[in-house]
């Protein structure tokens, strides 16, 4: 479904890239981060459970049990990006859901967030910024997460997101390095957000199915994964399905077999690829995973969709999640981290 609902200002025209497609390419980011984890301090009173080493969705430290209070895991993350849609309220909702997703992807629940806002104050009116913040507040409220202020800067390009702190049971985390052979892979949201958002930026068409998918919290999916006994998951965002799956398989020391016919897509995503609405971020994702992927006979359009840079995508879970399609399985490590069939 599409809409031509007009907004006075097309926010996407003020951004060089949209949503999570504006992320630094994964290969370049890994070059920057290489070796840093070994140089970080390691306080002994709050053990670091998850840090830079595996490229997981958030950092996790343990607060030891004290005076009859059980140990807790503190989950910390930050996520912000340029406008992915023209409507400021929707952009705020999408950015907040995306930031909160990192906590859900670790098996936690968000408890406190602070806003991160960059705004071209001499170019865009502040009533638009207010709508962005309103959208973020409403999604945080839906998640039961406090928003306690934030930080703003004057910037030539608008950006919005949140730094989020959550809590989790340290014995029931979802980690990207906990995948094991013989476990199925489930995907809780369809792919295609990137190409639809790119079409929106280019044409002004509004894709209601994409907005509804992006603003949906991953809260219920995370709870269902934990209830099903899952220990391994990641969310699918700017590095695409293939990029995040490669990181999961690499961290877990396994190979992921993907049933390409089982992967769900949003209505209109395939046509958007055929019409050429593919972001540079998606093409960089595909280039990055190519050396680690056996593409088999997968056609070029499907490869692009599988690498499509998602914004506020779903959870990719090692395990069966009720209501989510099974899109593959993990097997013993082979020559590639991903095999498409």
């Amino acid at each position: 479904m599409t809409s031509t609902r007009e907004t006075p200002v097309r926010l996407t025209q003020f951004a060089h890239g949209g949503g999570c497609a504006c992320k630094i390419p994964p290969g370049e980011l890994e070059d920057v981060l290489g070796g840093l984890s070994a140089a970080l301090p390691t306080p002994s009173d709050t053990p670091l459970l998850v840090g830079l080493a595996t490229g997981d969705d958030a950092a996790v430290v343990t607060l030891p049990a004290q005076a009859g209070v059980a140990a807790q895991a503190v989950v910390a993350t930050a996520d912000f990006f340029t406008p992915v849609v023209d409507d400021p309220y929707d952009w705020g909702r999408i950015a907040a859901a995306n930031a909160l997703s990192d906590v859900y992807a670790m098996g936690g629940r968000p408890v406190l967030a602070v806003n991160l806002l960059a705004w071209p104050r001499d170019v865009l009116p502040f009533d638009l910024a207010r709508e962005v913040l309103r959208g973020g507040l409403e999604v945080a409220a839906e998640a039961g997460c406090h928003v306690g202020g934030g930080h703003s800067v004057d910037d030539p390009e608008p950006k919005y997101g949140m730094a989020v702190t959550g809590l989790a049971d340290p014995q029931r985390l979802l980690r990207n390095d906990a995948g094991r052979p013989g476990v199925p892979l489930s995907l809780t949201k369809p792919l295609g957000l990137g190409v639809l958002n790119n079409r929106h930026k280019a044409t002004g068409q509004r894709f209601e199915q994409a907005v509804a998918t992006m603003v949906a919290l991953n809260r219920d999916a995370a709870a269902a994964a934990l209830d099903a006994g899952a220990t391994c998951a990641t969310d699918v965002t700017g590095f695409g399905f293939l990029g995040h799956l490669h990181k999961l398989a690499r961290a877990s020391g396994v190979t992921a077999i993907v049933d390409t016919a089982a992967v769900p897509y949003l209505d209109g995503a395939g046509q958007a690829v055929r019409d050429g609405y593919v972001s540079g971020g998606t093409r960089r994702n595909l280039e990055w995973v190519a050396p680690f992927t056996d593409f088999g006979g997968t056609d070029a359009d499907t490869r692009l969709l599988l690498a499509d840079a998602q914004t506020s995508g779903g959870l990719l879970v090692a395990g069966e999640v009720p209501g989510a399609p099974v899109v593959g399985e993990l097997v013993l490590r082979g020559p590639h981290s991903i095999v498409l069939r």
Side-chain angles (χ1 to χ4, degrees), residues 55-83:
D56 217 324
D57 297 295
V60 183
V61 297
T62 304
L63 297 182
Q66 292 183 358
V69 179
Q72 285 189 306
V74 177
V75 184
T77 185
D79 209 311
F80 64 99
F81 47 66
T82 53

Side-chain angles (χ1 to χ4, degrees), residues 35 55 74 81 107-108 113 119 128 148 183 200 205 213 215 237 250 274 276 304:
V74 177
F81 47 66
W119 202 255
L128 295 181
V183 178
H200 169 68
Q205 285 180 285
T213 298
V215 301
T237 55
R250 182 180 62 184
R274 290 189 290 274
L304 287 168

Side-chain angles (χ1 to χ4, degrees), residues 219-259:
R219 173 185 56 198
D220 294 345
L226 288 170
D227 288 344
T231 59
C232 177
T234 187
D235 63 352
V236 180
T237 55
F239 299 153
F241 172 84
L242 290 180
H244 289 284
L245 179 55
H246 165 60
K247 292 176 69 176
L248 183 153
R250 182 180 62 184
S252 297
V254 297
T255 288
I257 308 294
V258 178
D259 178 2

